[in-house]
Amino acid sequence: MKPLLAALCWLPALAGAAEHHVVIDGMQFSPQVVEVKPGDTIVWENHDMFAHNVTAAGARVSSGELAPGTSWRYKVAKGPSFDYLCTLHPVMKGRVEIARPAHRVPAR
Ligand SMILES: [Cu+2]
C-alpha cells in the first residue's frame, strides 16, 4: 500500500518534467542561468566553432568534450543548485538553479 501511494504522489511531478535548452555560442552559455525542477532535462547544444564542456566538480556534473555541433543531455537531480563552467575556457560560466519539489494542495 505505501509504495503504491508513493508512486501516485510522484505522477504529477513526472508529468510536469520539462526540457530546457542551453545554447553554447560565442564563448557563452545562453541563458547563463537555467531554472529547472528535479526530473527536468537540460540539453546543452554547442553551436560554437570550438569544443567546450559543462563541468561542475562539486555537483559531479561532467559532459566531457562537446565538439562543435554536438549536444549533451543531463537529467536534473534533486539539488542543490550549482554553478558550472567550461574547463577549457574558465571565463565561460553558467548556473543551474534547481527549485525545490512542489507539494501542491489540490484545489477544491
Ligand atoms: Cu569552452
Side-chain angles (χ1 to χ4, degrees):
M1 189 66 186
K2 274 185 178 168
L4 175 63
L5 281 176
L8 287 174
C9 289
W10 270 104
L11 282 177
L14 290 174
E19 191 171 288
H20 307 265
H21 289 253
V22 177
V23 170
I24 306 170
D25 202 2
M27 301 283 285
Q28 285 183 331
F29 295 106
S30 178
Q32 196 166 20
V33 178
V34 60
E35 294 181 15
V36 301
K37 299 185 304 298
D40 286 359
T41 297
I42 308 173
V43 185
W44 278 270
E45 301 174 12
N46 187 0
H47 293 190
D48 211 346
M49 307 187 275
F50 313 103
H52 297 291
N53 64 54
V54 175
T55 305
R60 297 197 189 94
V61 174
S62 178
S63 65
E65 186 170 305
L66 291 175
T70 62
S71 63
W72 182 61
R73 299 175 70 87
Y74 170 74
K75 187 159 184 190
V76 177
K78 208 161 62 177
S81 304
F82 59 88
D83 296 303
Y84 66 89
L85 51 70
C86 169
T87 58
L88 300 170
H89 315 101
V91 293
M92 295 174 60
K93 291 177 181 172
R95 178 170 176 80
V96 174
E97 193 73 47
I98 304 173
R100 288 163 179 269
H103 290 286
R104 293 191 200 90
V105 178
R108 285 173 192 269

